[in-house]
């Protein structure tokens, strides 16, 4: 189980500055400029750590955690141990930057650590930051299984101390500022290049440094724009290509430090950028931009190269769209091979037209080849509940050396739309009733045979569940999208949502990290309960945590009663009646929004 590590705005509203080109996020405040910029911290010696840790353990873990941030190349920021003279520095605006423990953890919820901040809005500088650790959690100094690494958590909180915000994107896993940690994980002890870039952006060293650490992938035919960042030296900066070349279709604006354009060719393009400041000092850094060609999602694509797994009870059937047969069947027919426990079982020939899928034949290892004289409508799109399609065909087969004409019929009826939950998630699916009919035209005395089965179909995923004539249900997973580019695991835009989730569940763009353009990536919005496809109003978000809940009402009441000062909040969200302050009207409005009485 993950435990959240978070920054807690107390008298300072949490302002997340989301920059798509950044690989880090900023709180919006920093420590005052100095030579060098620095901040001291004091350890609380009264509120002691849990019983399995000594104060010395606490001291060593904290010292190593803060020193980690002192070793960032490109930044001259320094953390230092302030003094041993403060026996009981509290979480309060007392001018002492305290690191202390919450003995019961009752005030911390599931958080392992909370960072509280106070600052001056006129300067944008902090003047008090406190860290509180949850003594009720299971802690370790060695990364023991089932326990949380103390140094890792304090290193993360020290990042908040400096002015960096939590990260929740899929590509942020492995960074110190990622907002969750697993038991036994010691990874956050070591800073990621993007963690270092964030600190260097806030507190650049006097020497010139390129802060941008990497550039995101691009897609052919899709617009691309990325800002480059630098620090130190003397502005203005000038950028140029030192060696190599940008992908064809992209250009570098050397004065603006922007790479933009529309890539034309796929591939991995490596180059080195040169940065020159106003005094002629230069720096170089190597980059690679990967350009891919993405096929548009094709409902019921059945494209060559797809593969997927069908689970039926304890058996697993691996199906592959392997080739196109141009001799026996129509030119746009695809061959799907079935393997059961790695043993070949048969083939199916499907034709995909603009509006439907037809089956033209099959080969079964037990019965041999059966080719239809015309295709059987197997599925169509769009479809609606109540619709039905019927197809008939014949096939010549050999039974005991005698050629026999077999008639086959398939009636597909859309009975309803149902919510279906399988291992991949919960989907809205069409429930199809499949009525199969077999007869022998040359032997009318032979009775017809009929079999009824069911299949639940989702666009892009095709079948996700089936039920045979014996009422045995099976889970199916059938990806048929984009020429084999989508699987159960792919996340093309790296926003934390799988491609199939974006297509089928959330309706977001699998090639765009931020579908609604609100500067929150789609995965983060889903994670915090926001709508990833629509710009939302966060009026009433008093504490700046990107949601409106009871915590905002409490914050407003504390501000109203003078128990907390408004040093910096997003007044656009917080001031609901336009009077320039947070008062009783805001408290009432927040409570109304929570209860659903107000949108």
């Amino acid at each position: 189980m993950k435990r959240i590590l978070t920054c807690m705005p107390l008298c300072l509203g949490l302002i997340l500055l989301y920059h798509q080109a950044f690989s880090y996020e900023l709180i919006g405040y920093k420590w005052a400029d100095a030579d060098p910029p620095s901040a001291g911290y004091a350890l609380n010696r009264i509120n002691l750590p849990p019983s399995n840790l000594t104060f010395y353990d606490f001291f060593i873990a904290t010292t190593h955690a803060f020193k980690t941030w002192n070793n960032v190349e490109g930044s001259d920021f320094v953390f230092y141990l302030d003094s041993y003279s403060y026996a009981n520095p509290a979480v309060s605006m007392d001018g002492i930057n305290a690191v202390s423990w919450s003995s019961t953890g009752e005030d911390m919820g599931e958080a392992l650590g909370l960072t509280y901040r106070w600052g001056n809005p006129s300067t944008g500088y902090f003047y008090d930051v406190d860290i509180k650790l949850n003594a009720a959690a299971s802690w370790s100094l060695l990364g023991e299984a089932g326990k949380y690494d103390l140094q890792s958590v304090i290193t993360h909180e020290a990042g908040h101390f400096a002015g960096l915000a939590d990260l929740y994107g899929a590509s942020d896993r492995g960074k110190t500022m990622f907002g969750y940690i697993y038991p036994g994980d010691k990874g956050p002890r070591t800073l990621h290049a993007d963690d270092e870039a964030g600190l260097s952006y806030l507190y650049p060293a006097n020497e010139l440094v390129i802060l941008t650490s990497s550039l995101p992938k691009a897609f052919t035919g899709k617009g691309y724009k990325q800002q480059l960042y630098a620090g130190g030296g003397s502005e203005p900066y000038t950028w140029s290509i030192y060696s190599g070349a940008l992908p064809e279709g992209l250009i570098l604006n050397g004065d603006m430090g922007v790479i933009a354009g529309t890539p034309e060719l796929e591939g991995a393009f490596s180059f080195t950028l040169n940065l020159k400041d106003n005094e002629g000092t230069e720096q170089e850094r190597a980059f690679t931009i990967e350009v891919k060609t993405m096929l548009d999602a094709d409902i019921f694509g059945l494209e060559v190269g797809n593969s997927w797994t069908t689970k039926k009870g304890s058996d697993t059937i691996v199906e592959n769209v392997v080739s196109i047969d141009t001799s026996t069947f129509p030119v746009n027919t695809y061959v799907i091979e079935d393997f059961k426990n790695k043993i070949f079982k048969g083939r199916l020939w499907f034709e995909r037209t603009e509006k439907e899928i037809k089956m033209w034949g099959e080969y079964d290892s037990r019965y041999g080849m059966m080719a239809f004289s015309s295709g059987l409508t197997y599925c169509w799109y769009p479809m609606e509940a109540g619709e039905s399609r019927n197809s008939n065909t014949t096939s010549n087969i050999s039974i005991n050396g005698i050629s026999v004409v077999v008639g086959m019929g398939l009636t597909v009826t859309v009975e309803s739309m149902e919510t279906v939950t399988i291992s991949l998630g919960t989907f809205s699916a069409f429930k199809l009733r499949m009525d199969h009919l077999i007869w022998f035209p040359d032997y009318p005395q032979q009775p017809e045979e009929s079999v009824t089965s069911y299949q639940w179909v989702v666009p892009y995923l095709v079948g996700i569940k089936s039920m045979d004539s014996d009422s045995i249900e099976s889970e199916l997973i059938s990806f048929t999208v984009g020429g084999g580019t989508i699987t159960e695991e792919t996340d093309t835009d790296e926003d934390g949502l799988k491609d199939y989730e974006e297509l089928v569940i959330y309706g977001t763009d699998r090639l765009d990290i931020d579908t609604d353009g609100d500067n929150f990536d789609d995965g983060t919005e889903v994670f915090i309960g926001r709508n990833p496809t629509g710009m939302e109003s966060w009026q009433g978000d008093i504490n700046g945590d990107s949601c409106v809940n009871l915590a905002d009402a409490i914050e407003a009441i504390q501000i109203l009663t003078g128990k907390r000062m408004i040093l910096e909040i997003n007044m656009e969200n917080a001031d609901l009646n336009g009077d320039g302050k947070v008062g009783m009207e805001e408290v009432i409005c927040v409570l109304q929004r929570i209860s659903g009485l107000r949108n």
Side-chain angles (χ1 to χ4, degrees), residues 130-153:
D130 297 323
I131 294 175
K132 184 163 61 175
L133 302 168
N134 191 338
S138 296
W139 295 98
S140 168
L141 301 175
L142 304 173
E144 298 173 57
K147 297 182 180 181
Y148 296 98
D149 182 62
L150 180 60
Q151 183 177 328
S152 293
V153 172

Side-chain angles (χ1 to χ4, degrees), residues 36-37 138 141 202-203 281 286-287 346 411 428 432 438 519 521 552 588:
S138 296
L141 301 175
L202 288 170
Y203 313 99
T281 305
F287 294 92
T411 300
S428 180
L432 306 184
I438 301 176
N519 290 328
D521 65 68
D552 295 295
I588 295 173

